[in-house]
């Protein structure tokens, strides 16, 4: 009797084990493998983008022997011609200046508008804000950048030409197009940041006798400041990397312009224009890859800034 | 009384900002639609473009946009599901997960032109595929993936923990719990996210000009063999999308009606994205209603 029951127990155990190993554990393993493969593919993509763009971008300095200092300080962008030392002339300062100029100006104009709209949507008239402003802003996020570029080309550029002068193409036009483009991004992220401020803090401030404006200005904006800054940096990152809309309205002249309505250029605009007309492996093509590398590094810097701001967020 | 006056003034300013933005947006939409919709006709959306004469359409571009979108989604949805499930259900709190999050963040913040150039370098030149729909779809997948992974992850996170525990308590494995319980519950959010991402993919141009190309070969609509070079379904042929078409004709178009064609195409793009947005909400709600008791 005793022996039999032990045998039975063993049998059951064995079959259970077999059953487990053949189906349950195996399905579980398979599921884990499938998901792990997917994330590994993402890592491979990211690493290969970094590797390919970096190796191409550095070849201007390693293969074509251009100097890095000249690249960041030189005023002349003529990568197809060589200087006295046989190095391509790659002074990217006008392009870098153009990129930073449109990005910063767009952020400066856009931030008060976007944060104002966000405050309006959360604090002043949530009903109107949620019903009308929010859907429209969400829709704006989806409008393709070429459409913004086209509207800029057919409305903003002629308007600037007739009212301010110059050709109309330039940093001013680029700034206006980018401002409208990043407005929805900054607004919706600011709304999130302001909504994260706990209700008690508002109530405490109002209970102390503060007016709504005092509450907004001294309490809400102050506590949500890291979040608002993150929103602005996100907008700037988008503006900095935007290619076609800017390329259509900025005029694409590789000099630092004397006014905001004179043609200028950005990293992305020269990159978009040039890539189709250069031959892989030549100095002028490598120079373009260096611009792409600068763009990539800038997007990494934006991420680092966002990370640092994120650490400061209280709510 | 000073504080009260400041409050009143601030309120007026906030109303002014909101009003200004509403006007700006209304003006933008109005301009695009009023100028463009009158150019949209059946002939416009079916006939091929003209290089030198007026009266060209955008038929092939419209087809290319949809074909590219479908291919992109076929590649990116399974990948995003896998990665999103991993991030939501399997990822532990360790360095590997931190690295993963950073990778997703880096991928999502890359300028689309940089992603496009990577695709140009790797698929077009290195792999030798040339400007092709497949290259375009792979690049759009890279561009789209981070957003989709986040959509899947947040949708799964939104499923209550009680459902996870219930699945495990029934003795089914974790993967089965995910497949049979969590994914169905997260479907409405995932579908909404996929459709919204489609809108983004549909309007993308910078990543495509050097990957899917800026031209479309002469197509024979009756040819359904995907291996034939004149077939619209051939994934190895170059394909210009609507968004790329707008950019191309504005920078180098020679036809006299560049402005009219661009207005029409812009309006069509905006209308289609409007359809994407509205249907995303509507379909998400519909599935939610069908799948839950509420």
């Amino acid at each position: 009797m005793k022996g039999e029951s032990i045998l039975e127990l063993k049998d059951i155990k064995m079959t259970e084990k077999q059953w487990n190993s053949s189906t349950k554990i195996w399905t579980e393993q398979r599921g884990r493998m499938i998901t792990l493969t997917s994330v590994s593919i993402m890592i491979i993509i990211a690493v290969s983008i970094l590797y390919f763009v970096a190796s191409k971008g550095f070849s201007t300095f390693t293969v074509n022997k251009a100097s890095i200092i000249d690249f960041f300080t030189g005023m002349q962008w003529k990568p197809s011609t060589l200087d006295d030392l046989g190095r391509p002339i790659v002074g990217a300062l006008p392009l870098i200046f153009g990129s930073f100029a449109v990005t910063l100006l767009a952020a400066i104009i856009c931030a008060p508008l976007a944060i104002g709209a966000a405050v309006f949507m959360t604090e002043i008239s949530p009903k109107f804000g949620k019903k009308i402003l929010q859907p429209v802003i969400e829709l704006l996020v989806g409008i393709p950048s070429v459409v913004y570029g086209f509207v800029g080309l057919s409305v903003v550029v002629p308007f600037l030409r007739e009212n301010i002068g110059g050709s109309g193409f330039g940093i001013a036009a680029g700034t206006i197009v980018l401002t409208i483009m990043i407005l929805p991004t900054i607004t919706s992220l600011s709304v999130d940041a302001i909504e994260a401020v706990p209700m008690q803090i508002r109530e405490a401030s109002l209970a102390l006798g503060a007016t709504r404006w005092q509450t907004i200005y001294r309490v809400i904006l102050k506590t949500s400041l890291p979040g608002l800054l993150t929103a602005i940096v996100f907008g700037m990152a988008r503006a900095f990397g935007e290619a076609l809309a800017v390329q259509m309205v900025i005029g694409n002249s590789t000099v630092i312009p004397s006014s905001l309505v004179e043609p200028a250029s950005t990293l992305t605009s020269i990159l978009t224009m040039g890539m189709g007309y250069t031959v892989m492996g030549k100095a002028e093509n490598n120079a373009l890859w260096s611009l792409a590398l600068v763009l990539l590094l800038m997007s990494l810097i934006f991420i680092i800034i966002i990370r640092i701001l994120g650490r400061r967020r209280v709510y | 009384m000073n504080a009260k006056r400041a409050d009143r003034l601030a309120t007026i300013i906030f109303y002014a900002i909101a009003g200004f933005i509403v006007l700006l947006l209304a003006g933008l939409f109005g301009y695009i639609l009023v100028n463009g919709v009158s150019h949209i006709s059946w002939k416009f959306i079916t006939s091929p473009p003209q290089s030198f004469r007026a009266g060209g359409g955008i038929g092939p571009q419209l087809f290319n946009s949809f074909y590219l979108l479908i291919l992109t989604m076929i590649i990116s949805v399974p990948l995003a599901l896998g990665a999103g499930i991993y991030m939501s259900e399997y990822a532990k709190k360790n360095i590997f997960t931190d690295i993963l999050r950073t990778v997703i963040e880096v991928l999502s913040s890359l300028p689309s032109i940089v992603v496009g150039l990577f695709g140009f370098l790797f698929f077009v030149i290195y792999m030798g595929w040339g400007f092709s729909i497949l290259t375009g779809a792979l690049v759009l997948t890279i561009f789209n993936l981070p957003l989709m992974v986040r959509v899947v992850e947040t949708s799964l996170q939104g499923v209550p923990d009680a459902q996870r525990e219930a699945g495990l308590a029934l003795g089914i494995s974790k993967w089965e719990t995910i497949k049979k319980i969590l994914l169905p519950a997260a479907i409405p959010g995932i579908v909404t996210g996929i459709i919204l991402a489609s809108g983004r993919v549909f309007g993308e141009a910078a990543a495509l000009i050097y990957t899917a190309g800026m031209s479309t070969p002469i197509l024979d609509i009756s040819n359904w063999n995907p291996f034939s070079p004149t077939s619209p379904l051939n994934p190895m042929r170059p394909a210009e999308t609507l968004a790329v078409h707008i950019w191309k004709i504005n920078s180098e178009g020679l036809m006299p009606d560049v402005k009219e064609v661009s207005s029409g195409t812009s309006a069509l793009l905006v209308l289609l994205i409007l359809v994407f947005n509205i249907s995303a909400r509507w379909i998400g709600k519909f599935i939610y209603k069908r799948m839950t008791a509420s």
Side-chain angles (χ1 to χ4, degrees):
Chain A
M1 277 296 275
K2 219 179 176 184
E4 256 180 42
S5 75
I6 287 171
L7 200 72
E8 258 181 32
L9 217 69
K10 252 187 187 167
D11 265 4
I12 291 168
K13 260 191 182 161
M14 270 183 56
T15 47
E16 197 176 34
K17 205 175 167 190
Q18 276 172 341
W19 189 76
N20 267 343
S21 61
S22 63
T23 60
K24 284 234 163 148
I25 293 176
W26 202 75
T27 15
E28 184 56 29
Q29 288 288 336
R30 194 181 50 178
R32 201 175 276 268
M33 279 310 293
I34 292 172
T35 58
L36 203 60
T37 317
S38 311
V39 289
S40 316
I41 289 174
M42 292 193 73
I43 294 182
I44 293 168
I45 292 172
V47 171
S48 44
I49 290 180
L50 290 180
Y51 170 75
F52 273 93
V53 175
S55 66
K56 268 286 187 186
F58 278 121
S59 61
T60 311
F61 311 114
T62 55
V63 179
N64 306 109
K65 305 281 186 241
S67 98
I68 293 189
I69 297 165
D70 282 354
F71 181 79
F72 284 108
T73 56
M75 301 289 282
Q76 285 206 315
W77 179 258
K78 287 177 190 156
S80 52
T81 44
L82 302 178
D83 65 2
D84 306 335
L85 296 167
R87 303 176 303 189
I89 303 171
V90 284
L93 187 62
L95 323 182
I96 296 171
F97 171 81
S99 279
F100 275 101
V102 289
T103 306
L104 287 174
L105 285 176
I108 290 170
I109 300 173
C110 191
L113 285 177
I115 294 173
V119 170
F120 181 83
M121 283 162 72
T122 49
E123 307 296 323
I124 297 192
S125 179
K127 228 180 179 175
F128 175 81
K130 281 266 163 342
K131 277 242 163 73
I132 295 174
L133 223 46
Q134 191 152 7
V136 178
I137 282 173
E138 274 170 21
L139 188 60
L140 269 188
V141 180
I143 290 191
S145 60
V146 279
V147 174
Y148 283 110
F150 169 65
V151 173
L153 193 63
S154 50
V155 180
V156 178
V157 170
F159 177 82
L160 289 175
R161 184 163 49 220
E162 277 150 31
N163 291 290
I164 298 180
S167 65
F169 290 97
I171 289 180
T175 303
I176 293 172
V177 167
L178 283 178
T179 304
I180 302 172
M181 255 186 81
I182 63 177
L183 185 68
T185 313
I186 302 186
T187 308
S188 56
L189 288 170
S190 301
V191 168
D192 293 344
I194 294 175
E195 275 180 345
V197 176
M199 215 52 199
Q200 296 100 297
I201 295 190
R202 285 188 187 86
E203 283 158 4
S205 167
L206 292 171
L208 284 172
T211 61
R212 184 163 67 185
W213 166 239
Q214 285 169 332
T215 308
I216 292 170
Y217 177 65
R218 299 219 176 118
V219 178
I220 293 170
L221 289 186
K222 230 166 226 174
T223 38
S224 59
L225 188 65
L228 296 177
L229 288 176
T230 309
I232 295 170
V233 177
F234 260 109
M236 286 173 71
R238 198 178 163 202
F240 200 85
E242 175 49 42
L244 301 188
V246 177
Q247 188 268 338
M248 285 164 94
V249 298
I250 200 148
N252 305 303
S253 149
T254 54
V255 290
I256 292 185
S258 52
S259 85
L260 292 180
V261 285
E262 293 302 319
S265 59
T266 63
L267 294 167
T268 49
S269 77
I270 295 303
L271 199 51
T272 336
M273 300 249 303
M275 204 45 102
Y277 301 104
T278 54
V279 181
M280 249 315 145
K282 285 275 172 63
E284 59 261 42
N285 185 269
N286 288 342
L288 291 176
W289 284 102
S290 303
L291 300 183
L293 181 61
V294 173
L295 273 179
L296 192 134
L297 293 178
M298 270 313 290
S299 74
L300 294 183
I301 291 174
F302 280 123
I303 290 181
I304 294 171
I305 298 174
I306 289 167
R307 280 268 164 115
I308 293 170
L309 287 171
R311 238 173 267 150
R312 280 185 48 203
R313 281 181 92 150
V314 193
Y315 302 107
Chain B
M1 286 308 108
N2 209 355
K4 270 213 167 132
R5 196 172 295 162
D7 182 56
R8 172 116 351 135
L9 188 69
T11 308
I12 292 171
I13 290 173
F14 280 121
Y15 267 95
I17 289 176
F20 175 72
I21 289 178
V22 169
L23 277 181
L24 189 75
L25 305 188
L28 187 68
F29 276 113
Y31 179 81
I32 295 170
L33 295 180
V34 167
N35 275 300
V37 169
S38 55
H39 297 290
I40 300 176
S41 62
W42 182 248
K43 189 172 165 283
F44 181 68
I45 59 173
T46 50
S47 59
Q50 297 287 345
S51 316
F52 305 107
R53 281 180 294 134
I58 48 163
Q61 282 77 15
L62 188 62
F63 174 82
N64 289 341
S65 290
F66 275 107
Y67 190 37
L68 201 55
L69 173 65
I70 292 168
L71 269 188
T72 305
M73 285 302 161
I74 290 175
I75 305 170
S76 58
V77 167
L79 270 177
L81 276 178
I85 289 172
Y86 183 87
M87 296 308 291
S88 163
E89 304 299 321
Y90 286 110
K92 293 190 184 77
K93 262 203 161 175
N94 55 21
I95 298 174
F96 180 67
T97 309
D98 282 348
I99 294 172
L100 255 179
R101 292 214 179 275
T102 314
V103 162
I104 294 174
E105 216 178 323
V106 169
L107 275 181
S108 71
S109 77
L110 283 180
S112 57
I113 181 84
V114 172
V115 178
L117 288 176
F118 164 75
F120 174 61
L121 188 60
F122 187 74
F123 298 115
V124 175
I125 307 268
Y126 193 72
M127 306 285 277
W129 292 352
F131 293 142
S132 64
I133 294 185
L134 184 63
T135 308
L138 288 170
V139 165
L140 285 181
T141 299
I142 299 176
F143 165 79
N144 192 21
L145 208 50
L147 181 79
M148 297 263 287
V149 170
R150 208 168 301 150
V151 163
V152 174
E153 191 191 345
T154 43
S155 304
L156 282 172
Q157 289 289 318
V159 181
D161 266 341
Q163 301 211 22
R164 269 182 202 93
E165 286 154 14
L168 295 174
L170 284 171
I172 61 176
S173 69
K174 192 168 180 179
W175 177 242
E176 283 170 313
T177 313
I178 292 167
K179 245 182 13 184
K180 301 266 165 65
I181 300 174
L182 301 185
L183 267 187
I187 279 284
I190 294 175
V191 170
T192 308
I194 288 176
I195 301 174
L196 286 177
S198 303
R200 211 170 80 111
V201 166
F202 201 76
E204 178 53 35
L208 288 176
I209 50 179
Y210 294 119
T211 51
M214 290 186 273
S215 61
T216 305
I218 296 163
L219 299 174
D220 177 10
I221 311 169
S222 57
N223 186 349
W224 286 82
N225 175 10
F227 298 104
S228 152
T230 58
S231 164
L233 293 178
N234 183 355
M236 299 314 284
R237 69 175 173 89
E240 184 191 32
T241 64
L242 288 176
V244 174
H245 189 62
I246 296 176
W247 181 72
K248 194 188 132 196
I249 60 176
N250 272 295
S251 48
E252 53 191 43
L254 294 172
M255 56 280 228
D257 59 344
V258 165
K259 207 164 174 193
E260 285 75 21
V261 175
S262 325
S263 314
T265 316
S266 300
L268 189 65
L269 256 181
V270 170
L271 284 176
L272 284 170
I273 282 163
L274 194 70
V275 170
F276 277 121
N277 275 30
I278 293 171
S279 64
R281 281 162 204 269
W282 192 78
I283 292 173
K285 257 184 210 158
F286 178 76
I287 297 177
Y288 185 77
K289 260 192 189 152
R290 285 296 294 272
M291 293 190 47
T292 54
S294 56

